[in-house]
Amino acid sequence: MLFHSPEFLFAFLPLSLLGYYLLGRLPNKLWAVGWLVAASLFFYGWWNVAFLPMLLISLGLNYLLGIMLVETPRRWLLLAGVAANLAAIGFFKYAGFLVEILNALTAADVPVPHILLPLAISFYTFQQIAYLVDCHEGRIGRPNPIRYAMFITFFPQLIAGPIVHYREIVPQIERDETFRIDQAKLVLGFTVFCFGLFKKIGMADTLAPLAQPLWDLAAGGEAAYLAFAWRGAVAFALQLYFDFSGYSDMAIGLGLMFGILLPFNFDSPYKSQTIIEFWSRWHITLTRFLTAYLYNPITKTVMRRRMERGQPVWNPRKPQVLPFLVMLAFPTLVTMGLAGVWHGAGWQFIVFGLLHGAMLVANHGWRATSAGRARIPAPLSSLLSPVKVLVTFLAVTVSFVFFKSPTLTDALTVVRGLAGMGEHGGYLYLGDTVVVLFGLFIIWALPNTQEWVGLKAHTAPKAPARERARFAAFYWKPSPTHGLMVGAVLCITLLRIFGSPPAEFLYFAF
């Protein structure tokens, strides 16, 4: 069931809200939470009911492990739980790829298994790994089984995130006011949902046909000429952003309609001036997961061992090459390499992750040099900012070629075109170019969704007063202007929905 499908919009969502708020009037709020769990399991099973047992088994085992870790924290038990979760992902997602590698290295002829990937296994597994770590570290108490099930299965974020923590969601559903109808939250959530719907239907699905011909050429071994290649690559970079950030907006909007605030997952990433800034704005909940549960532990382990041996540790004020390579470059490359593998089984995903790792290392290395730390005069900095934004965007666009390509060979063929080494492709129609330029205008000139509706200022009270005032100007208000805007956006998207079959979200593949 897709968020933009008629059965979701006109049947599932209204019935889910109705049952949730009716049961929320009862003294025991667990009835409403249980209703939401049942609705979420129905939503998940709608895709393929065969996936449901895997989700339920994962829920049950991780819940029991969590109780054991809360009562008697044991490191070996935590490691066993994490290993079991990773083994599940490894079997379903990477078994075929590993067999292909084995055959290539040993000239064996082992049949490559074709295993059906359970929907959203990467997302709900990461959430449960974070939950187990929090249980072991004493950050949460003994969980209630129904609330735990709701934390994992909550349908707005179940399929493609945001990746949430137990302590972000469960405290909200422990408060009685969450189950009371809040007209402001309902309308605000509906507004955010509509903007996300427009991003997906109005922008991402419109850009998709402009990007695909570039990869169709690559599948035949043909590299596109320079302009055609860059038009297609930029169109895909925009499609991916509008598709995934549109899903995240819809998830946040749906959460608000149920009285639950989910974390932001995007914050205008294509306005970033460096690759470090990009990863603080793109897929934010994945970045924080990788930082907290992979990058930081690796860095701390390396630092501890170097200190035990009396070796120098990394000091940004007095940078040295070896500590930089060992304590910053190594953890970064490992983390981003595994992030690439998390997205998919294939050499192209490994290259995607390592490419971003290399860019992050280069960015950190530049910052550590005297030139990188030099203070640039304000007038010159203002002039350089658009250049840095453009360079970062183009670098990310090239990396996304590997993300989209079905094989590494196809990705390298597309890159040949981006380097001006191709000669194939079709006409660049003016209308198509206008669509791409309109997408660039949206990402660079307009506020993002949380800025439009004032959520960013509301959830970032530590921001400077000037920033809060700027965002406050976009607060949603119950005014005719805002109503007409939301109504127009909804009409456009509904016309598109009924005019053509809905397309799946790109991140459903991961």
Side-chain angles (χ1 to χ4, degrees), residues 252-301:
I252 291 170
L254 290 168
L256 284 170
M257 293 166 74
F258 287 93
I260 297 168
L261 179 61
L262 296 173
F264 299 139
N265 217 18
F266 290 88
D267 187 12
S268 299
Y270 290 154
K271 293 180 182 177
S272 304
Q273 297 186 30
T274 66
I275 200 70
I276 295 174
E277 184 184 358
F278 172 81
W279 277 103
S280 71
R281 292 167 168 252
W282 176 275
H283 206 341
I284 297 169
T285 57
L286 175 63
T287 300
R288 71 175 183 177
F289 178 93
L290 294 172
T291 301
Y293 300 106
L294 189 57
Y295 177 84
N296 287 344
I298 294 175
T299 303
K300 290 177 182 177
T301 301

Side-chain angles (χ1 to χ4, degrees), residues 202-368:
M203 294 304 303
D205 288 357
T206 301
L207 287 159
L210 308 185
Q212 190 56 42
L214 176 60
W215 275 267
D216 291 339
L217 285 173
E222 298 177 341
Y225 65 86
L226 187 66
F228 192 83
W230 276 105
R231 199 283 306 272
V234 170
F236 176 72
L238 293 173
Q239 177 199 354
L240 181 62
Y241 168 72
F242 285 119
D243 189 282
F244 196 18
S245 71
Y247 178 95
S248 296
D249 286 349
M250 283 187 259
I252 291 170
L254 290 168
L256 284 170
M257 293 166 74
F258 287 93
I260 297 168
L261 179 61
L262 296 173
F264 299 139
N265 217 18
F266 290 88
D267 187 12
S268 299
Y270 290 154
K271 293 180 182 177
S272 304
Q273 297 186 30
T274 66
I275 200 70
I276 295 174
E277 184 184 358
F278 172 81
W279 277 103
S280 71
R281 292 167 168 252
W282 176 275
H283 206 341
I284 297 169
T285 57
L286 175 63
T287 300
R288 71 175 183 177
F289 178 93
L290 294 172
T291 301
Y293 300 106
L294 189 57
Y295 177 84
N296 287 344
I298 294 175
T299 303
K300 290 177 182 177
T301 301
V302 173
M303 178 183 291
R304 185 178 65 253
R305 292 182 177 177
R306 290 186 67 83
M307 292 178 69
E308 290 172 352
R309 297 170 183 170
Q311 296 172 328
V313 296
W314 169 248
N315 184 350
R317 296 183 179 181
K318 297 179 180 180
Q320 295 175 292
V321 174
L322 186 58
F324 173 80
L325 293 176
V326 174
M327 297 185 60
L328 197 149
F330 171 70
T332 300
L333 288 172
V334 170
T335 300
M336 296 310 298
L338 291 175
V341 172
W342 176 81
H343 281 94
W347 292 109
Q348 69 275 26
F349 291 105
I350 296 174
V351 173
F352 166 74
L354 291 177
L355 184 58
H356 273 277
M359 290 191 290
L360 286 168
V361 170
N363 197 169
H364 281 293
W366 170 254
R367 284 187 174 184

Side-chain angles (χ1 to χ4, degrees), residues 93-113 341 344-348 350:
K93 201 166 185 177
Y94 306 109
F97 180 54
L98 293 175
V99 170
E100 289 177 2
I101 294 175
L102 176 66
N103 289 341
L105 292 176
T106 64
D109 192 20
V110 179
V112 178
V341 172
W347 292 109
Q348 69 275 26
I350 296 174

Side-chain angles (χ1 to χ4, degrees), residues 51-264:
F51 294 151
L52 200 53
M54 179 64 192
L55 174 61
L56 294 174
I57 291 170
S58 179
L59 274 176
L61 292 179
N62 280 286
Y63 174 73
L64 293 175
L65 275 171
I67 291 177
M68 296 168 67
L69 287 169
V70 167
E71 294 178 347
T72 54
R74 296 174 183 173
R75 186 167 180 80
W76 69 265
L77 185 59
L78 171 64
L79 293 177
V82 172
N85 279 285
L86 293 179
I89 293 183
F91 173 76
F92 285 103
K93 201 166 185 177
Y94 306 109
F97 180 54
L98 293 175
V99 170
E100 289 177 2
I101 294 175
L102 176 66
N103 289 341
L105 292 176
T106 64
D109 192 20
V110 179
V112 178
H114 297 283
I115 302 170
L116 191 62
L117 180 66
L119 189 66
I121 187 172
S122 297
F123 288 94
Y124 67 70
T125 300
F126 266 28
Q127 283 191 194
Q128 293 186 110
I129 289 175
Y131 160 76
L132 294 179
V133 174
D134 288 345
C135 288
H136 179 266
E137 300 298 326
R139 299 187 185 114
I140 58 179
R142 185 183 177 92
N144 174 279
I146 298 177
R147 291 193 178 101
Y148 173 76
M150 183 269 172
F151 149 66
I152 296 297
T153 65
F154 187 39
F155 73 86
Q157 52 82 37
L158 171 62
I159 306 299
I163 301 171
V164 298
H165 291 281
Y166 183 90
R167 57 188 183 275
E168 287 178 321
I169 301 300
V170 173
Q172 295 188 62
I173 58 175
E174 289 177 339
R175 298 193 294 263
D176 286 351
E177 56 266 28
T178 300
F179 303 92
R180 301 190 192 111
I181 295 178
D182 186 327
Q183 186 177 358
K185 280 187 178 180
L186 275 173
V187 177
L188 181 59
F190 181 73
T191 301
V192 174
F193 179 83
C194 288
F195 279 122
L197 200 61
F198 175 75
K199 281 184 178 182
K200 166 61 180 171
I201 303 298
M203 294 304 303
D205 288 357
T206 301
L207 287 159
L210 308 185
Q212 190 56 42
L214 176 60
W215 275 267
D216 291 339
L217 285 173
E222 298 177 341
Y225 65 86
L226 187 66
F228 192 83
W230 276 105
R231 199 283 306 272
V234 170
F236 176 72
L238 293 173
Q239 177 199 354
L240 181 62
Y241 168 72
F242 285 119
D243 189 282
F244 196 18
S245 71
Y247 178 95
S248 296
D249 286 349
M250 283 187 259
I252 291 170
L254 290 168
L256 284 170
M257 293 166 74
F258 287 93
I260 297 168
L261 179 61
L262 296 173
F264 299 139

